[in-house]
Amino acid sequence: MADKIRVLLSEEEVNRRISEIAGQISLDYEGKELHLICILKGGVFFTCELAKRLTVPVSLDFMSVSSYGDDTKSSGVVRIVKDLDESLKDKDVLIVEDIIDSGRTLSYLMEVLKQRGPASIRLCTLLDKPERRVKKQVKVDYTCFTIPDEFVVGYGLDYAQKYRNLPYIGVVEF
């Protein structure tokens, strides 16, 4: 790993904020079962940490979509690489994403998933870059951190499949 990485959010900051968001989600879904949809690959680290802290019954499924490849900017073309294994019919769904920037992927994904008949569908993200938002209609219900327009890695986020395992959020200094 020859790249220099500057820490943007420490492991302690990330863990504290995930606990706070999990508390809010647990309150909002009290008395209900929550179906988490983890967006792979980056979302798996955040989803696992979030799920451990939720106090409501949770089921889990995985979906993989791609719009980046090995680049640092979205191509704008969204494709489903792995679809869900379970039906969403009448479930309270929470999509869990690592980062939202342009909103193209989530805009497309929300439309696809709404057609599958969930009771409700909300969006949770570890990181949000609203200044990069192209699809303004993407409403994020739970955001851990709003960050500046920098290319970040760690806690599941990668650069060409590297750095996902960092326990903090960092900025690759190119």
Side-chain angles (χ1 to χ4, degrees), residues 54-86:
L54 292 171
T55 59
V56 296
V58 170
S59 58
L60 181 63
D61 206 346
F62 298 89
M63 187 170 217
S64 181
V65 293
S66 177
S67 67
Y68 279 83
D70 285 342
D71 203 353
T72 61
K73 292 192 174 22
S74 173
S75 67
V77 177
V78 179
R79 55 188 192 93
I80 295 176
V81 179
K82 185 225 175 285
D83 208 339
L84 300 172
D85 294 327
E86 298 180 33

Side-chain angles (χ1 to χ4, degrees), residues 70-127:
D70 285 342
D71 203 353
T72 61
K73 292 192 174 22
S74 173
S75 67
V77 177
V78 179
R79 55 188 192 93
I80 295 176
V81 179
K82 185 225 175 285
D83 208 339
L84 300 172
D85 294 327
E86 298 180 33
S87 167
L88 298 183
K89 186 86 174 120
D90 299 325
K91 292 182 180 178
D92 289 304
V93 172
L94 183 64
I95 299 171
V96 183
E97 180 67 285
D98 55 357
I99 189 166
I100 301 172
D101 48 30
S102 72
R104 285 186 188 104
T105 301
L106 266 298
S107 174
Y108 172 78
L109 197 55
M110 294 290 280
E111 288 308 310
V112 167
L113 296 179
K114 282 177 186 174
Q115 295 171 13
R116 298 183 184 185
S120 68
I121 188 164
R122 287 184 168 174
L123 179 57
C124 178
T125 189
L126 178 62
L127 305 172

Side-chain angles (χ1 to χ4, degrees), residues 7-167:
V7 175
L8 181 64
L9 298 164
S10 71
E11 183 176 6
E12 295 77 18
E13 289 174 286
V14 173
N15 284 328
R16 183 173 43 253
R17 186 65 181 135
I18 291 173
S19 292
E20 292 170 1
I21 289 291
Q24 184 60 56
I25 292 169
S26 294
L27 281 174
D28 292 351
Y29 287 92
E30 192 172 347
K32 297 180 179 181
E33 292 184 21
L34 185 57
H35 188 68
L36 302 179
I37 296 177
C38 172
I39 306 301
L40 298 172
K41 295 179 185 173
V44 74
F45 289 79
F46 176 43
T47 302
C48 289
E49 292 301 318
L50 180 67
K52 288 190 312 190
R53 293 166 170 87
L54 292 171
T55 59
V56 296
V58 170
S59 58
L60 181 63
D61 206 346
F62 298 89
M63 187 170 217
S64 181
V65 293
S66 177
S67 67
Y68 279 83
D70 285 342
D71 203 353
T72 61
K73 292 192 174 22
S74 173
S75 67
V77 177
V78 179
R79 55 188 192 93
I80 295 176
V81 179
K82 185 225 175 285
D83 208 339
L84 300 172
D85 294 327
E86 298 180 33
S87 167
L88 298 183
K89 186 86 174 120
D90 299 325
K91 292 182 180 178
D92 289 304
V93 172
L94 183 64
I95 299 171
V96 183
E97 180 67 285
D98 55 357
I99 189 166
I100 301 172
D101 48 30
S102 72
R104 285 186 188 104
T105 301
L106 266 298
S107 174
Y108 172 78
L109 197 55
M110 294 290 280
E111 288 308 310
V112 167
L113 296 179
K114 282 177 186 174
Q115 295 171 13
R116 298 183 184 185
S120 68
I121 188 164
R122 287 184 168 174
L123 179 57
C124 178
T125 189
L126 178 62
L127 305 172
D128 191 10
K129 288 187 192 177
E131 67 187 67
R132 289 199 26 112
R133 194 82 78 245
V134 172
K135 297 289 188 176
K136 305 289 186 195
Q137 73 273 23
V138 172
K139 179 184 177 284
V140 184
D141 300 284
Y142 305 100
T143 301
C144 287
F145 298 98
T146 300
I147 62 168
D149 186 12
E150 296 183 283
F151 192 80
V152 291
V153 295
Y155 222 91
L157 295 134
D158 74 298
Y159 171 59
Q161 299 300 324
K162 296 189 298 186
Y163 309 117
R164 286 189 195 279
N165 62 317
L166 297 175

